[in-house]
């Protein structure tokens, strides 16, 4: 009944119903009785229907709130994980920036080793074609 009485078609129907006494004045008494009866039935029906719809709306709002709180906690966990990752990345980049780089020259080409763990090894040697001795750089 709430949906029917809340529609625009019901407004049109009651508007036309209220114009009947203008066209037929002798029907005014019975139409007034019918109109009062409709009001006495419709008002409590609308109140009950509105209360039922409100309860459903409140239940949906509570479910939506619970879902949003769960999503918020998931987002907070992900942000914490991302902060930990970026902190680790920033720390690694700082360590790499502080570490000296080794440059080894082989056959007139430069090879640069970056971000490798420091290994104590003998310096690299290069051999030139036709040269029997090794030069250390």
């Amino acid at each position: 009944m709430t949906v029917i009485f809340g529609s625009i078609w019901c407004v049109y129907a009651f508007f036309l119903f209220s114009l009947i006494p203008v066209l037929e004045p002798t029907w005014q008494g019975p139409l007034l009785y019918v109109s009062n009866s409709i009001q006495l039935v419709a008002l409590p029906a609308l109140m009950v229907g509105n209360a039922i719809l409100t309860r459903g709306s409140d239940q949906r709002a509570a479910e939506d709130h619970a879902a949003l709180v769960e999503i918020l906690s998931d987002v907070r966990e992900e942000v914490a994980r991302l902060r930990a990752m970026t902190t680790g990345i920033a720390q690694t980049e700082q360590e790499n920036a502080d570490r000296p780089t080794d440059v080894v020259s082989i056959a007139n080409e430069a090879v640069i080793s970056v971000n490798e763990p420091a290994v104590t090894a003998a310096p690299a040697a290069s051999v030139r074609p036709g040269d029997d001795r090794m030069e250390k750089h």
Side-chain angles (χ1 to χ4, degrees), residues 11-122:
V11 172
Y12 294 151
F14 286 136
F15 176 72
L16 293 175
F17 181 76
S18 68
L19 293 178
I20 291 176
V22 173
L23 301 174
E24 191 66 45
T26 58
W27 286 30
Q28 187 171 1
L31 289 177
L32 185 58
Y33 175 77
V34 171
S35 174
N36 288 338
S37 298
I38 290 173
Q39 289 178 18
L40 288 173
V41 171
L43 184 61
L46 289 173
M47 295 297 289
V48 170
N50 191 25
I52 290 170
L53 292 174
T54 301
R55 267 188 267 149
S57 175
D58 291 345
Q59 182 181 2
R60 281 190 303 276
E63 290 171 357
D64 289 347
H65 177 71
L68 289 173
V69 167
E70 184 178 337
I71 290 170
L72 178 63
S73 68
D74 290 345
V75 167
R76 285 182 176 161
E77 288 175 11
E78 289 297 319
V79 167
R81 286 180 50 209
L82 287 173
R83 282 185 181 151
M85 287 174 57
T86 55
T87 301
I89 291 170
Q91 184 178 7
T92 303
E93 285 180 351
Q94 185 61 38
E95 289 172 359
N96 289 337
D98 294 342
R99 183 182 302 154
T101 59
D102 299 331
V103 177
V104 179
S105 174
I106 301 174
N108 296 330
E109 293 180 15
V111 177
I112 302 173
S113 61
V114 181
N115 298 334
E116 293 181 2
V119 177
T120 55

